[in-house]
């Protein structure tokens, strides 16, 4: 890594961090992946993969963009189906959510701000 520059592969680099590539949980110091402003995840989900429990009391804004496959974002009042590459959904603080991958899917997630205290659980 050159000072202030990091070059990697999302699938490889995210494997040890549950897909997360950028956020407050990355090494502080000269590593440009460390950020209190934003978090980025390269989520690779096998068929049938689902979130273990609903996220409640969310304090961040989130953007999910479908890269490949099919992905369902469960909200309290509806299910948003991301079916074509480029389909996306955005929600703000206070929106409870969960998700399900009915088939293999790759999803790029961007959340902001990067809030300390949310645990990144390796998959």
């Amino acid at each position: 890594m050159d000072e202030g520059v990091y070059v990697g592969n999302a699938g490889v680099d995210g494997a040890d961090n549950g897909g997360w590539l950028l956020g407050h949980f990355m090494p502080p110091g000269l590593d440009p992946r460390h950020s209190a402003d934003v978090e980025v995840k390269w989520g690779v989900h096998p068929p049938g993969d689902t979130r273990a429990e609903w996220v409640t009391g969310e304090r961040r804004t989130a953007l999910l963009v479908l890269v490949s496959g099919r992905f369902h974002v469960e909200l309290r009042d509806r299910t948003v189906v991301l079916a074509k590459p480029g389909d996306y959904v955005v929600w703000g603080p206070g929106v409870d959510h969960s998700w399900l991958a009915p088939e293999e899917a790759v999803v790029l997630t961007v959340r902001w701000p990067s809030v300390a205290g949310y645990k990144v659980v390796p998959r």
Side-chain angles (χ1 to χ4, degrees):
M1 178 177 76
D2 294 332
E3 186 173 323
V5 176
Y6 184 94
V7 177
N9 176 277
V12 172
D13 292 350
D16 292 334
N17 293 313
W20 291 102
L21 305 172
L22 194 141
H24 75 275
F25 36 76
M26 299 307 281
L30 297 177
D31 192 332
R33 298 173 301 160
H34 179 83
S35 173
D37 299 320
V38 66
E39 300 172 353
V40 177
K41 179 180 182 180
W42 182 259
V44 178
H45 302 277
D49 196 16
T50 187
R51 191 165 202 304
E53 58 189 47
W54 279 76
V55 175
T56 59
E58 180 62 81
R59 301 181 330 199
R60 301 163 295 186
T61 298
L63 161 70
L64 275 73
V65 181
L66 182 69
V67 176
S68 64
R70 189 174 186 87
F71 198 75
H72 294 186
V73 177
E74 306 289 340
L75 305 174
R76 293 291 184 192
D77 64 342
R78 67 180 178 248
T79 298
V80 176
V81 177
L82 305 178
K84 298 182 307 217
D87 285 354
Y88 68 93
V89 60
V90 179
W91 65 83
V95 175
D96 296 346
H97 63 280
S98 190
W99 52 259
L100 163 71
E103 63 186 56
E104 185 172 319
V106 176
V107 179
L108 179 69
T109 301
V110 181
R111 291 192 305 209
W112 63 94
S114 183
V115 179
Y118 282 86
K119 186 173 182 180
V120 175
V121 179
R123 297 183 74 80

